[in-house]
Amino acid sequence: MLQDKIFKLKGKVQPYAWGGKEFIPAWLGVENRDEKPFAEYWMGAHPSASSTVIIDNAEQSLYDLIKKRPVEFLNEQVAAEFGELPYLLKILDVKDMLSIQVHPSKEAAKIGFDEEEEKGVPINASNRNYKDKNHKPEVMVALSEFWLLHGFLPETKLLHVLRRVPEFNGFEKFVKSTGYKGLYEHVMTMPQKEVNKLLRPVVEKAIAFRKENKITKHQPGWWAAKLYEHVEPTDIDRGLFSIYFFNIVRLRPGEAIFQGAGVPHAYLEGQNVELMANSDNVLRGGLTPKHVDVPELMKQVVFESIEPKILNGVPLKNGEINYPCPVRDFGISKIELQPSDNYQAASRSFEILVAIKGSFTIKNGKSLQVKKGEAVAILPNEAYEISTNDHLLAYKAFVP
């Protein structure tokens, strides 16, 4: 058994092309001389990019430690139910739009994974849909003004869009006769020639409107223009239809949204804290050069309208605000403290605590100083106390 129960945790940067080049380096306090994109900072024990924890001044893989000592690191219940750390905590900086995507349910992921294994599709193949047997629900809390697409528009709003955009005028019949599924199947299986013919004038008008400041980020044309105003594409990405068919949501700092299995979505712009089940299963529907498997996508999408539920969180004690999520895999809280405040808690599961703004001291008999851009791992069943000399903003991930 380890004597110390709280350790510094080091995450991994993911340099995806859509990421910004300034926010995460500045937050981590590192230079980015090569101007690389710092898209995501992963904190967790995903086998492809495990964090390390610092024990006795040496960095050790969290994934390896959990494999060797599951009960000590996770607790008995979590180890028995999940067999791994069931969540992955991330900081994201979205400069360019991410792909339209959907995550499968646990049952669908297991079936899809087994089928691809049977067909002999290599796990790292670009056309592989299912990398594991897990679902991937996720919650995100905005760190800046954050824009995303989230689920299909309510029918009256969708019909209004289809009537207002001349190129979409023939689409109303699909909604009336075969619902959202009929409409989406039509645009997702349409020949590319027809996609270009319909969407090119839509893009051209959007670019003109954006240049003349006639549209705002609340309107789909703004995002269509952002995608293509500096690029002359040979083929227009059919993911553009989704920008017009889905809810455009703006979150302010501290507001959150949960995305369950089957809800089509895409991040558009901004910075956030994201917490998800420990999975890499993504089915894409456009706005990406990556693999798009339309038949598999159609199987997993929930074809119904959604009124986005923006979460403001539930205040608990000592400056903690919890964002309730309807899953067993993860929970997330925001902790905001002033210099006179004191936060006391006891971990029930493996917790990760990350400092977004300000620094803090964490005590459990011993003291550990944690500054902005740093994180700590807390083993289960450990009482601890946090204090700060700053205005502290931190996020805590745990298994509820």
Side-chain angles (χ1 to χ4, degrees):
M1 293 281 280
L2 291 166
Q3 279 191 309
D4 290 337
K5 306 290 182 187
I6 299 178
F7 317 100
K8 286 271 179 85
L9 179 140
K10 282 190 172 181
K12 289 274 186 342
V13 173
Q14 300 287 16
Y16 307 135
W18 48 261
K21 295 171 184 174
E22 294 165 12
F23 177 79
I24 291 176
W27 172 67
L28 290 171
V30 298
E31 285 191 39
N32 185 16
R33 286 182 185 152
D34 300 335
E35 293 280 293
K36 283 182 183 166
F38 276 56
E40 298 185 353
Y41 185 73
W42 287 23
M43 291 163 282
H46 196 280
S48 72
S50 175
S51 296
T52 54
V53 287
I54 299 166
I55 299 174
D56 299 331
N57 296 320
E59 285 189 33
Q60 298 189 42
S61 158
L62 181 58
Y63 175 80
D64 291 343
L65 286 164
I66 289 171
K67 272 204 123 161
K68 285 177 201 156
R69 305 169 163 191
V71 174
E72 187 178 355
F73 273 76
L74 301 174
N75 84 25
E76 211 164 305
Q77 188 187 336
V78 174
E81 184 175 349
F82 296 100
E84 63 174 7
L85 183 65
Y87 64 77
L88 181 59
L89 180 65
K90 301 178 177 181
I91 306 296
L92 269 66
D93 180 16
V94 180
K95 181 178 71 70
D96 299 322
M97 287 176 242
L98 274 68
S99 57
I100 308 289
Q101 54 189 258
V102 138
H103 305 304
S105 67
K106 205 166 228 181
E107 191 185 354
K110 188 181 182 317
I111 292 165
F113 182 87
D114 289 343
E115 282 175 357
E116 288 188 317
E117 286 291 280
E118 215 170 284
K119 287 176 189 166
V121 183
I123 201 81
N124 56 355
S126 61
N127 64 329
R128 176 99 189 201
N129 291 315
Y130 297 95
K131 305 288 174 73
D132 50 66
K133 296 184 181 187
N134 206 5
H135 63 166
K136 196 186 174 190
E138 56 196 23
V139 64
M140 58 142 288
V141 189
L143 293 176
S144 64
E145 180 178 86
F146 196 93
W147 294 85
L148 72 153
L149 302 174
H150 177 82
F152 285 97
L153 286 162
E155 191 171 316
T156 48
K157 289 182 180 175
L158 178 60
L159 291 173
H160 176 70
V161 169
L162 300 184
R163 288 169 194 146
R164 197 171 46 82
V165 179
E167 292 76 11
F168 298 169
N169 284 174
F171 290 171
E172 207 177 316
K173 62 177 186 248
F174 294 105
V175 181
K176 297 259 170 96
S177 62
T178 49
Y180 289 92
K181 187 173 184 181
L183 171 68
Y184 208 55
E185 195 157 38
H186 176 68
V187 299
M188 291 306 293
T189 56
M190 186 186 285
Q192 186 61 48
K193 223 176 187 176
E194 207 178 321
V195 172
N196 292 343
K197 190 181 165 189
L198 280 177
L199 289 182
R200 203 171 290 281
V202 173
V203 168
E204 284 165 1
K205 276 183 267 188
I207 290 169
F209 285 152
R210 186 170 139 160
K211 278 180 182 162
E212 294 161 19
N213 291 320
K214 287 183 178 172
I215 48 176
T216 69
K217 290 182 179 181
H218 293 279
Q219 292 159 291
W222 198 93
W223 301 101
K226 181 182 176 181
L227 201 61
Y228 284 120
E229 66 185 344
H230 302 302
V231 184
E232 187 55 59
T234 46
D235 287 329
I236 305 284
D237 192 314
R238 68 186 66 231
L240 241 74
F241 288 115
S242 297
I243 297 177
Y244 285 82
F245 297 170
F246 293 174
N247 292 289
I248 295 172
V249 181
R250 176 178 69 159
L251 298 178
R252 292 174 179 86
E255 292 181 334
I257 198 161
F258 176 82
Q259 302 187 122
V263 176
H265 60 278
Y267 291 162
L268 298 174
E269 191 177 87
Q271 290 90 34
N272 71 23
V273 177
E274 185 182 59
L275 183 62
M276 59 180 58
N278 193 31
S279 168
D280 207 12
N281 286 329
V282 179
L283 296 158
R284 297 177 181 86
L287 302 185
T288 178
K290 291 181 180 174
H291 177 60
V292 175
D293 183 336
V294 173
E296 197 58 39
L297 177 80
M298 296 300 292
K299 275 193 227 167
Q300 306 305 340
V301 173
V302 173
F303 290 105
E304 55 189 48
S305 69
I306 285 179
E307 283 285 357
K309 289 190 180 79
I310 293 174
L311 309 173
N312 289 302
V314 178
L316 303 177
K317 52 171 191 175
N318 319 354
E320 180 177 2
I321 289 178
N322 179 254
Y323 300 91
C325 298
V327 290
R328 294 171 64 81
D329 311 58
F330 56 74
I332 188 167
S333 285
K334 176 172 75 167
I335 297 165
E336 209 157 357
L337 302 179
Q338 303 297 340
S340 56
D341 297 334
N342 192 283
Y343 175 82
Q344 293 178 326
S347 60
R348 286 182 297 172
S349 66
F350 183 90
E351 294 183 357
I352 296 175
L353 194 56
V354 58
I356 303 298
K357 290 178 185 168
S359 58
F360 64 88
T361 303
I362 184 164
K363 291 178 186 168
N364 65 331
K366 292 184 176 179
S367 280
L368 199 57
Q369 301 293 323
V370 183
K371 61 179 195 287
K372 182 179 98 168
E374 290 186 332
V376 289
I378 305 162
L379 295 193
N381 307 313
E382 190 63 16
Y384 61 90
E385 189 179 303
I386 291 171
S387 57
T388 182
N389 295 321
D390 295 312
H391 168 214
L392 172 70
L393 173 63
Y395 281 87
K396 177 172 85 169
F398 55 92
V399 185

